[in-house]
Amino acid sequence: MDPELINDCVHCGFCLPSCPTYVLWGEEMDSPRGRIHLMKQHVEGTPVTDEMAGHFDACLGCMACVTACPSGVRYDRLIEQTRAVVEREHVREPADRALRELVFQLFPHPRRLRAMRVPLRLSAGLRRRIAPRLERVNPSLAAMADLAPDPVKRVRLPRRVEAVGRRRATVGMLTGCVQGEFFPQVNAATARVLAMEGCDVVIPPSQGCCGALSLHSGRPGQARRFARRTIAAFDRAGVDTIVVNAAGCGSTMKEYADLLDGVWAERAREIRTVDLAEYLAELGPVARRHPLPLTVAYHDACHLAHAQGVRSQPRELLTAIPDLELREIAESAICCGSAGTYNLFQPEAARELGDRKAERVLATGADLLVSANPGCTMQITSAIRRSGAAPIPVAHTAQVLDASIRGLGRVA
Amino acid sequence: MATPQETGPDAPQETGARARHGAGARDALSATGVTVRDAGPGDAVAGVMPRWVALPESTEEVAALMRVSAGHDLAVVPAGGGTRLHWGTPPERCDLLIDTCCLNEILEHASGDLVVRVQAGVTMDALAEALAAQNQELALDVPLAGSTVGGTLATAAAGPRRLRYGTARDLLIGLTVVLADGTVARSGGKVVKNVAGYDLGKLFTGSYGTLGIITEAVFRLHPIPRARHWVTAVLPSAPPAALSAGPSTSPGAVAAALAASQAEPSAVELDWLAPAGTFTVSALVEGVAAESRAGAVRDLLAGAAEAVPDVTGGGEAPGWWGVTPGEDVLLELRVPPSGVDGALRAIAARGLPARVRGSLASAVLQIALPPESAGTEPTELAKLPEIPEIPQLAEVAEVAAFVSGLRGDVAPLGGRLTVLTAPPELARLVDLWGPVGALPLMRRVKERFDPDRRMSPGRMAGGI
Amino acid sequence: MTETLDELARGLAGVLPPGAVITDPVRLRTYECDGLTHHRAVPGIVVLPESAEQIAAVVRLCNEYGVPFVARGAGTGLSGGALPRADGVLVVTAKMRRILQVDLADRRAVVEPGVTNLAITEAVREHGYYYAPDPSSQQVCTIGGNVAENSGGAHCLKYGFTVNHVLALEIVTPDGDIVTLDADDPGYDLLGAFVGSEGTLGITTKVTVRLSRAPETVTTLLAAFGSIEQGGQAVSAIIGAGVVPAAIEMMDALAIAAAEAAVACGYPAGAGAVLIVELDGPAAEVAHQFAEVERICRDNGAFELRTAAGPQERAAVWKGRRSAFAAVGRISPAYIVQDGVVPRTALPDVLASIDRLSAEYGIRVANVFHAGDGNLHPLVLFDDAEPGAEERAGLVSGRILDLCVEHGGSITGEHGVGVDKSRYMPKMFTDDDLDTMQLVRCAFDPRGLSNPGKVFPTPRLCGEVPGVRRGVHPLVESGRAEQF
Ligand SMILES: Cc1cc2nc3c(=O)[nH]c(=O)nc-3n(C[C@H](O)[C@H](O)[C@H](O)COP(=O)(O)OP(=O)(O)OC[C@H]3O[C@@H](n4cnc5c(N)ncnc54)[C@H](O)[C@@H]3O)c2cc1C
Ligand SMILES: Cc1cc2nc3c(=O)[nH]c(=O)nc-3n(C[C@H](O)[C@H](O)[C@H](O)COP(=O)(O)OP(=O)(O)OC[C@H]3O[C@@H](n4cnc5c(N)ncnc54)[C@H](O)[C@@H]3O)c2cc1C
Ligand code: SF4
Ligand code: SF4
């Protein structure tokens, strides 16, 4: 934990109202200012206690505090360093340890995740029935079962998708582990939209997890391994721009150069990572948009809005679609509680935040919820399901654009 | 008339007697160098006759008088213009009347800072005149000719423009007071923004001379608006129809519409002869564009009024504007704005003839019983040797029933009713102030500031 | 933890919901300071009550054990007002953040003390209303803290401070009673005296605020001047012309640089000072005043004038100003935020003197201030790594307050006295003035348990205050009251 970074905090508290855990509990030590204070205590010699670790673990890493901070405090760096220290120095409860192992052995590995999906492939009804029982045994497993979206057919993407019409650029595309497994249709839409906007899209099959989940959970070693593999895969494919449609992956990949060192950092700097919306807004449209008569609520994924500062671009892309009406969700800066593995490790808090978000999403009365992050999509859908309200369809920005450009008249 | 010796149950008998009997007190007062004279019949405070009247010219002189009073256990009542000295409860005892008439200097008018520092005995009219020379004003409507800065603060008096500018407490930024023991204390300052220390100024507004004597005050000022226009309208129907039928033409609805209007009136006043008269509503608009804004107010009122509302410019307010509706029995009613119609309905339902007047949009109304007394020249009245008998008031009991009944009616609306002035017989029948939640705390404040109960004892709520 | 606190903590757990009593040392330490970080004290106990009744129960228990208590809202105070007591209880209102009632017909709202200032406006904005006092910290500071500090903001030039917008308060008195102070109460204006008392007269548990109608028109003008003197003259001329803008804010070159670094506010390049003048009200009035202000700015040497068209541009203009405090962190490793007031007409003089001080001590001073009411916020910059710099900065900061007092101003315009400025109180007030204020304090809190050690420079016994009971107060004699 870098004392310089800690000292940048002037204790003004401007970050408090944007912090989801502070919003929930109103306690200083579960606010960004309080967590930075805890870091300071540690730097000044206080060992990591159970309580301290608990407050760091409760941080969603949503980075809303980074956006809110007028002093430019790099909380993102700080919490990353802190998580590593906690993993290193703090001995967790056995049950907690086991769960963390399970998740880290599972999620970053597409193939293992695929195998895991079988037991999760329960019918909605069955899931509802076993959920309360799971809840009693282990809230985290319940959360996992609760979150897993209904299984969809696997989509195999080609190695290369040719640009439609005049080629304007060649880009690589990250498929992502969760996105690829649970939302393959989003990847398909992303590739199509890019192609229709004049891009050759290169999709290296050897790519795996980008390392985001590991990094956000204090496992920088594992994260670095994944990062190097990802860089190598895209290098080999010969692209210098990677378009990412999952917010969490994008924010991590943009930081590769800081995560790695030496020659790998150099290689990381030579590759540009951009979010899909960011890229499309910058590129400018060539494909014609067909009307989509829909009201759409756009959800700011933390890793997009706060970590990457991408807020206006997706809204611009959506409002450019004829007949589409965009509605803002109240408290849009507050995290939905998904935050990577958060809903697995802090199920109660995640659930409260999810319910809060669901309530505000439903209040917009929109036909469709648009979210650019698979974690958020799972989290909000399951919260709405829990609330007993009629489910609201959720789509990725890419899917909405895809539907409009292809003139489907509705989002597939 | 009760003699001071017989009242004041808490007065320590021995010392009190010694002080009052000996000529020592009188000599000591004179020794301060301040003009002191024996009190005459015109000096009575709500019927209680002081023994001496002192006419200090500075804060230091007031302090000297108060130190002597402390030493001789003299009860002291401050007086300003004496315009409303007879209002409120009579003091339990009164040895010395401190007349602030000679504290009459405007000490500093920093026009560039929109601030004025004045002595407490300066009359509001004299102050207004001086400020007007620099095209500025203290945006506190002068209640009565002859009333002083100190008296206005001590009674927390305010007029129609409270809607836009607030009341005395909102315009006061600094205060100098002399406490019962002669301590001179200042709070606030000469700048409009200041949060250093407790705001004693607030504490002394509405203190009726029971905490100490105000000797100097500093106010924030406003530029005199370039133009003023009044829009006056008579609402079409009289109660009960006006208060039940078309809700958009009730006084409350009209006030709400005006208060929310972007024409931003500075005041919205009501004049009404209860129980059956029609309602007259008048709004004041101030500013460079007052004329066009008055037009907007007129259009708004036209929808609710009987005939096309009357617009008057150039300072011609309706005759009743800002004038106290009566002098014999005067009540003050405050409700949350949405409760105005309900309160008027309750007044009408009581059936007693009354003149109701005051700030409709701020929902602070004065009620005079009986209505005929409206328009008497109050300053002269106060100077009369005795409070005149009130022949019209045949049934004090009837008024008492009105007060307690109305108090009960408005309580559910969040309203409260206080008696500003009334003949002593009424005071025996009803509580003049009504329930005050913070009374125990006020008592504790009084105990700290004036432990010997020598400052206007008994003049405030709860016998403070 | 001492035995008394141990016992008290157990008692508190009995009257509060589970988890609302914090005694873990690591957790407690996160509450050791407010926005003024160089005053620190780890609280003995922290409690997070959820209702007035719970606060009253806490206060009564504190009375029983003779333990002092300190209220805390969001902890953004800049005078150490919420500095805890190691031997006391910190009562945090962060969980009391319900808006209990919004009553547009009565133009008022009733809220719990932990509700943020901005949340009130957000709750009524769509109906065309807002809550007028707007401290720069409005997104985070609580209404309870605002009441305690009598907070103001940029727009208090025209609309006044917290005290002008609070209609009633429910408080828990220092002996644990729940009392309502109402602006409509006849008699002493206790409501007015309580506002700004910095938590020393009790704890606010409910606030009724006035809601204001959003003005028909708002026009925001950004004027760039070559020098801060020119800007100051423009301010005087505007006020002198009889225009009362909603706000007049000024920033000097250094403050502009900081804001630029933090939020890229895009103020005119090369400006020695910028003035933000906001006019609001009926369109016809604003149009007239705008022309006047524009002319005055030009006459006083403004080289660039920008008018914000629409809410977005207005927000952009304000962004730089609002972020200025915290943004200074980008141009200096450390800094002191000062808060003092001078009469408007003394602004040019005082600013020139600050310049001289800055040169004399070799300490940079960035100026951001509410020019319309002469409220200065000099940011005294220093490098805490440089030996002696902090002391010199402290001296400069103190000398600035002297300047304010010399010019007939105040040592604080909105941040309060707290623990930080209590030693400056004697510069502004005589012993008699302070003793008189103590009378109020003793009336509310004879045992001195509510936020002791703040506001007043010298600890005193309530019985000791001259002019009141001579001799020892019975409570002191019996050993039940302490010094404060
Ligand atoms: C209860 C009450 C409520 C009133 N409300 C309103 C109102 O809402 N609107 C309105 O227009 N008028 C109101 N008035 C009437 C009138 O406006 C004021 O009484 C008048 O301004 C007082 O000025 P004066 O100089 O004549 O004071 P006086 O009539 O001489 O004294 C009035 C009161 O103030 C005290 N007092 C006077 N000078 C000082 C001083 N220097 N220091 C301390 N105490 C002092 C006196 O002891 C006495 O209690 C009210 C009067 C009273 C008594
Ligand atoms: C960047 C920044 C900008 C600021 N800008 C402004 C500004 O423009 N204008 C301005 O006026 N202030 C400003 N402030 C100061 C601060 O925000 C205000 O003083 C605010 O009112 C404090 O609110 P809080 O909830 O943080 O209170 P805290 O800091 O928690 O407490 C402040 C004081 O209030 C007391 N208190 C808190 N709650 C209660 C309660 N319920 N009952 C009784 N006492 C209580 C505390 O004991 C303490 O004395 C700024 C602060 C920062 C950090
Ligand atoms: S990252 Fe999110 S949860 Fe963590 S401290 Fe910042 S705002 Fe709070
Ligand atoms: S906003 Fe930034 S400087 Fe302020 S408390 Fe939060 S992290 Fe610290």
Side-chain angles (χ1 to χ4, degrees), chain A residues 31-66:
Chain A
S31 78
R33 184 175 63 181
R35 291 189 177 112
I36 294 170
H37 193 283
L38 290 171
M39 293 172 195
K40 194 182 170 84
Q41 289 191 37
H42 178 70
V43 167
E44 289 170 1
T46 314
V48 180
T49 62
D50 280 351
E51 286 79 13
M52 202 190 263
H55 298 305
F56 292 138
D57 285 351
C59 167
L60 293 103
C62 68
M63 302 312 151
C65 49
V66 177

Short mmCIF file of all heavy atoms in Angstrom, two decimals, chain A residues 31-66:
data_model
loop_
_atom_site.label_atom_id
_atom_site.label_comp_id
_atom_site.label_asym_id
_atom_site.label_seq_id
_atom_site.Cartn_x
_atom_site.Cartn_y
_atom_site.Cartn_z
N SER A 31 -16.45 2.86 4.03
CA SER A 31 -16.50 3.92 3.03
C SER A 31 -15.09 4.01 2.44
O SER A 31 -14.14 3.51 3.04
CB SER A 31 -16.86 5.24 3.68
OG SER A 31 -15.73 5.80 4.34
N PRO A 32 -14.95 4.62 1.28
CA PRO A 32 -13.61 4.75 0.70
C PRO A 32 -12.66 5.49 1.65
O PRO A 32 -11.52 5.07 1.85
CB PRO A 32 -13.84 5.56 -0.57
CG PRO A 32 -15.31 5.51 -0.84
CD PRO A 32 -15.99 5.20 0.45
N ARG A 33 -13.19 6.58 2.23
CA ARG A 33 -12.34 7.37 3.13
C ARG A 33 -11.88 6.52 4.31
O ARG A 33 -10.73 6.55 4.72
CB ARG A 33 -13.14 8.58 3.62
CG ARG A 33 -12.37 9.54 4.47
CD ARG A 33 -13.21 10.77 4.81
NE ARG A 33 -14.40 10.45 5.60
CZ ARG A 33 -15.29 11.34 6.01
NH1 ARG A 33 -15.14 12.61 5.68
NH2 ARG A 33 -16.34 10.98 6.72
N GLY A 34 -12.81 5.73 4.84
CA GLY A 34 -12.48 4.86 5.97
C GLY A 34 -11.51 3.76 5.56
O GLY A 34 -10.60 3.41 6.31
N ARG A 35 -11.72 3.19 4.39
CA ARG A 35 -10.81 2.11 3.95
C ARG A 35 -9.41 2.66 3.73
O ARG A 35 -8.42 2.00 4.07
CB ARG A 35 -11.35 1.47 2.67
CG ARG A 35 -12.62 0.67 2.93
CD ARG A 35 -13.08 -0.16 1.75
NE ARG A 35 -14.26 -0.91 2.15
CZ ARG A 35 -15.49 -0.70 1.67
NH1 ARG A 35 -15.70 0.22 0.74
NH2 ARG A 35 -16.50 -1.41 2.12
N ILE A 36 -9.33 3.86 3.18
CA ILE A 36 -8.01 4.46 3.00
C ILE A 36 -7.37 4.70 4.37
O ILE A 36 -6.19 4.49 4.57
CB ILE A 36 -8.11 5.77 2.18
CG1 ILE A 36 -8.56 5.46 0.75
CG2 ILE A 36 -6.77 6.51 2.17
CD1 ILE A 36 -8.92 6.67 -0.08
N HIS A 37 -8.22 5.08 5.31
CA HIS A 37 -7.72 5.28 6.67
C HIS A 37 -7.21 3.96 7.25
O HIS A 37 -6.17 3.91 7.91
CB HIS A 37 -8.82 5.87 7.55
CG HIS A 37 -8.33 6.40 8.85
ND1 HIS A 37 -8.02 5.57 9.91
CD2 HIS A 37 -8.05 7.66 9.27
CE1 HIS A 37 -7.60 6.30 10.91
NE2 HIS A 37 -7.61 7.58 10.56
N LEU A 38 -7.93 2.88 6.99
CA LEU A 38 -7.48 1.56 7.46
C LEU A 38 -6.14 1.20 6.81
O LEU A 38 -5.26 0.63 7.46
CB LEU A 38 -8.53 0.49 7.13
CG LEU A 38 -9.85 0.56 7.92
CD1 LEU A 38 -10.87 -0.42 7.33
CD2 LEU A 38 -9.61 0.23 9.39
N MET A 39 -6.00 1.52 5.53
CA MET A 39 -4.73 1.25 4.85
C MET A 39 -3.60 2.01 5.54
O MET A 39 -2.52 1.50 5.74
CB MET A 39 -4.81 1.69 3.38
CG MET A 39 -5.79 0.87 2.55
SD MET A 39 -6.01 1.61 0.91
CE MET A 39 -7.49 0.75 0.36
N LYS A 40 -3.93 3.25 5.90
CA LYS A 40 -2.94 4.08 6.56
C LYS A 40 -2.54 3.44 7.90
O LYS A 40 -1.37 3.37 8.25
CB LYS A 40 -3.55 5.46 6.79
CG LYS A 40 -2.57 6.54 7.17
CD LYS A 40 -3.37 7.83 7.41
CE LYS A 40 -2.53 8.91 8.03
NZ LYS A 40 -1.76 9.68 7.06
N GLN A 41 -3.56 2.97 8.61
CA GLN A 41 -3.27 2.31 9.89
C GLN A 41 -2.32 1.15 9.67
O GLN A 41 -1.38 0.94 10.42
CB GLN A 41 -4.55 1.78 10.54
CG GLN A 41 -5.47 2.85 11.08
CD GLN A 41 -6.58 2.24 11.94
OE1 GLN A 41 -6.37 1.28 12.66
NE2 GLN A 41 -7.77 2.81 11.86
N HIS A 42 -2.58 0.39 8.59
CA HIS A 42 -1.73 -0.77 8.33
C HIS A 42 -0.31 -0.33 8.01
O HIS A 42 0.66 -0.87 8.54
CB HIS A 42 -2.30 -1.61 7.18
CG HIS A 42 -1.43 -2.79 6.86
ND1 HIS A 42 -1.31 -3.87 7.70
CD2 HIS A 42 -0.61 -3.03 5.81
CE1 HIS A 42 -0.47 -4.73 7.18
NE2 HIS A 42 -0.03 -4.24 6.02
N VAL A 43 -0.20 0.68 7.14
CA VAL A 43 1.13 1.18 6.77
C VAL A 43 1.87 1.67 8.01
O VAL A 43 3.08 1.53 8.13
CB VAL A 43 0.98 2.31 5.73
CG1 VAL A 43 2.27 3.07 5.56
CG2 VAL A 43 0.52 1.74 4.41
N GLU A 44 1.12 2.22 8.95
CA GLU A 44 1.75 2.73 10.16
C GLU A 44 1.99 1.65 11.21
O GLU A 44 2.38 1.95 12.33
CB GLU A 44 0.91 3.87 10.76
CG GLU A 44 0.96 5.14 9.93
CD GLU A 44 -0.04 6.21 10.35
OE1 GLU A 44 -0.79 5.97 11.33
OE2 GLU A 44 -0.08 7.25 9.68
N GLY A 45 1.70 0.42 10.83
CA GLY A 45 2.11 -0.66 11.73
C GLY A 45 1.01 -1.54 12.31
O GLY A 45 1.30 -2.55 12.94
N THR A 46 -0.25 -1.20 12.10
CA THR A 46 -1.31 -2.07 12.61
C THR A 46 -1.40 -3.31 11.71
O THR A 46 -1.52 -3.16 10.50
CB THR A 46 -2.66 -1.34 12.60
OG1 THR A 46 -2.49 -0.05 13.14
CG2 THR A 46 -3.71 -2.12 13.37
N PRO A 47 -1.33 -4.50 12.28
CA PRO A 47 -1.45 -5.69 11.43
C PRO A 47 -2.86 -5.82 10.87
O PRO A 47 -3.79 -5.21 11.38
CB PRO A 47 -1.13 -6.83 12.40
CG PRO A 47 -1.38 -6.28 13.76
CD PRO A 47 -1.15 -4.81 13.70
N VAL A 48 -2.98 -6.64 9.82
CA VAL A 48 -4.30 -6.86 9.23
C VAL A 48 -5.13 -7.70 10.21
O VAL A 48 -4.83 -8.87 10.44
CB VAL A 48 -4.20 -7.60 7.89
CG1 VAL A 48 -5.58 -7.83 7.30
CG2 VAL A 48 -3.33 -6.83 6.91
N THR A 49 -6.14 -7.10 10.79
CA THR A 49 -7.00 -7.85 11.70
C THR A 49 -8.17 -8.42 10.91
O THR A 49 -8.39 -8.03 9.76
CB THR A 49 -7.56 -6.94 12.80
OG1 THR A 49 -8.36 -5.93 12.17
CG2 THR A 49 -6.46 -6.28 13.61
N ASP A 50 -8.92 -9.29 11.54
CA ASP A 50 -10.12 -9.83 10.90
C ASP A 50 -11.05 -8.71 10.47
O ASP A 50 -11.59 -8.71 9.37
CB ASP A 50 -10.90 -10.72 11.88
CG ASP A 50 -10.27 -12.11 11.97
OD1 ASP A 50 -9.36 -12.38 11.16
OD2 ASP A 50 -10.69 -12.87 12.86
N GLU A 51 -11.22 -7.75 11.40
CA GLU A 51 -12.14 -6.64 11.11
C GLU A 51 -11.66 -5.85 9.89
O GLU A 51 -12.42 -5.54 8.99
CB GLU A 51 -12.22 -5.68 12.32
CG GLU A 51 -13.03 -6.21 13.48
CD GLU A 51 -12.24 -7.20 14.33
OE1 GLU A 51 -10.99 -7.28 14.16
OE2 GLU A 51 -12.87 -7.91 15.15
N MET A 52 -10.35 -5.57 9.90
CA MET A 52 -9.80 -4.78 8.81
C MET A 52 -10.01 -5.52 7.48
O MET A 52 -10.52 -4.95 6.51
CB MET A 52 -8.31 -4.56 9.08
CG MET A 52 -7.73 -3.37 8.38
SD MET A 52 -5.94 -3.38 8.54
CE MET A 52 -5.66 -2.29 9.89
N ALA A 53 -9.65 -6.79 7.48
CA ALA A 53 -9.79 -7.58 6.24
C ALA A 53 -11.25 -7.58 5.80
O ALA A 53 -11.55 -7.46 4.61
CB ALA A 53 -9.30 -9.00 6.48
N GLY A 54 -12.14 -7.68 6.77
CA GLY A 54 -13.57 -7.70 6.45
C GLY A 54 -13.99 -6.44 5.70
O GLY A 54 -14.75 -6.50 4.74
N HIS A 55 -13.47 -5.31 6.13
CA HIS A 55 -13.86 -4.06 5.47
C HIS A 55 -13.26 -3.95 4.07
O HIS A 55 -13.87 -3.39 3.17
CB HIS A 55 -13.48 -2.86 6.33
CG HIS A 55 -14.19 -2.85 7.65
ND1 HIS A 55 -15.56 -2.91 7.74
CD2 HIS A 55 -13.73 -2.82 8.93
CE1 HIS A 55 -15.92 -2.92 9.02
NE2 HIS A 55 -14.82 -2.88 9.76
N PHE A 56 -12.06 -4.51 3.90
CA PHE A 56 -11.50 -4.50 2.54
C PHE A 56 -12.26 -5.46 1.64
O PHE A 56 -12.55 -5.17 0.49
CB PHE A 56 -10.01 -4.87 2.58
CG PHE A 56 -9.15 -3.84 3.24
CD1 PHE A 56 -8.13 -4.21 4.12
CD2 PHE A 56 -9.35 -2.48 2.99
CE1 PHE A 56 -7.34 -3.25 4.73
CE2 PHE A 56 -8.56 -1.52 3.60
CZ PHE A 56 -7.55 -1.91 4.49
N ASP A 57 -12.59 -6.64 2.21
CA ASP A 57 -13.33 -7.63 1.42
C ASP A 57 -14.70 -7.08 1.00
O ASP A 57 -15.21 -7.41 -0.05
CB ASP A 57 -13.56 -8.91 2.23
CG ASP A 57 -12.28 -9.74 2.32
OD1 ASP A 57 -11.31 -9.39 1.61
OD2 ASP A 57 -12.25 -10.71 3.10
N ALA A 58 -15.27 -6.24 1.88
CA ALA A 58 -16.60 -5.72 1.58
C ALA A 58 -16.58 -4.68 0.47
O ALA A 58 -17.63 -4.30 -0.05
CB ALA A 58 -17.23 -5.12 2.84
N CYS A 59 -15.41 -4.19 0.11
CA CYS A 59 -15.31 -3.22 -0.99
C CYS A 59 -15.60 -3.92 -2.30
O CYS A 59 -15.03 -4.96 -2.59
CB CYS A 59 -13.92 -2.61 -1.01
SG CYS A 59 -13.57 -1.70 -2.52
N LEU A 60 -16.48 -3.35 -3.09
CA LEU A 60 -16.85 -3.98 -4.35
C LEU A 60 -15.84 -3.72 -5.46
O LEU A 60 -15.93 -4.29 -6.53
CB LEU A 60 -18.21 -3.47 -4.83
CG LEU A 60 -19.41 -3.87 -3.98
CD1 LEU A 60 -19.85 -2.69 -3.15
CD2 LEU A 60 -20.55 -4.35 -4.85
N GLY A 61 -14.94 -2.78 -5.21
CA GLY A 61 -14.02 -2.42 -6.27
C GLY A 61 -14.73 -1.76 -7.43
O GLY A 61 -14.34 -1.86 -8.58
N CYS A 62 -15.84 -1.08 -7.12
CA CYS A 62 -16.65 -0.51 -8.19
C CYS A 62 -16.06 0.78 -8.72
O CYS A 62 -16.42 1.26 -9.79
CB CYS A 62 -18.06 -0.25 -7.69
SG CYS A 62 -18.13 1.08 -6.47
N MET A 63 -15.15 1.37 -7.97
CA MET A 63 -14.42 2.57 -8.39
C MET A 63 -15.30 3.82 -8.51
O MET A 63 -14.90 4.81 -9.10
CB MET A 63 -13.66 2.35 -9.69
CG MET A 63 -12.68 1.22 -9.63
SD MET A 63 -11.67 1.35 -8.13
CE MET A 63 -11.32 -0.37 -7.86
N ALA A 64 -16.49 3.77 -7.95
CA ALA A 64 -17.32 4.97 -7.94
C ALA A 64 -16.58 6.07 -7.18
O ALA A 64 -16.69 7.25 -7.49
CB ALA A 64 -18.66 4.68 -7.28
N CYS A 65 -15.80 5.65 -6.18
CA CYS A 65 -15.08 6.63 -5.39
C CYS A 65 -14.01 7.33 -6.22
O CYS A 65 -13.69 8.49 -5.97
CB CYS A 65 -14.47 5.98 -4.15
SG CYS A 65 -13.56 4.47 -4.48
N VAL A 66 -13.45 6.63 -7.17
CA VAL A 66 -12.42 7.25 -8.00
C VAL A 66 -13.04 8.36 -8.84
O VAL A 66 -12.49 9.45 -8.98
CB VAL A 66 -11.74 6.19 -8.91
CG1 VAL A 66 -10.73 6.84 -9.83
CG2 VAL A 66 -11.09 5.12 -8.05
#
